[in-house]
Amino acid sequence: RAEIETMSDPKLAAELDLELARLARLRGDAAEQVAAGTRILGLAGRLKNSQLEGIGQEVLGHAALDLGNWQEAGQRLNASFQA
């Protein structure tokens, strides 16, 4: 993760965070999914990039599903489709 934070290419950093989120989901690590999704949303806002917004919302939606938070999951996943 430290290497990602020092990258000068924010889109590549977001792609790597997405992969970290996927791996975290496979490991059952919802906290890391939330952290990665939050970082992706931060980059999306900074870059004003709707594709990254959708990806970040999807990551957070999956984390919410894994935590059993159905309402938040639905909201996040709907937001990912609308981004």
Side-chain angles (χ1 to χ4, degrees):
R1 175 67 205 145
E3 292 83 6
I4 295 173
E5 291 176 9
T6 61
M7 297 182 87
S8 60
D9 183 347
K11 286 186 181 179
L12 179 58
E15 291 283 335
L16 292 172
D17 266 327
L18 175 59
E19 292 307 315
L20 285 176
R22 288 177 176 159
L23 290 172
R25 188 163 196 220
L26 290 172
R27 289 191 318 266
D29 186 351
E32 178 55 32
Q33 289 179 73
V34 170
T38 302
R39 289 190 299 264
I40 293 169
L41 285 180
L43 287 170
R46 205 170 88 220
L47 298 174
K48 307 216 181 324
N49 185 307
S50 62
Q51 182 181 15
L52 291 180
E53 172 77 23
I55 290 169
Q57 292 290 356
E58 181 181 0
V59 167
L60 292 174
H62 286 157
L65 277 176
D66 294 346
L67 291 169
N69 188 340
W70 313 121
Q71 184 175 4
E72 180 183 353
Q75 292 169 344
R76 295 282 189 180
L77 293 173
N78 281 331
S80 76
F81 291 122
Q82 294 173 5

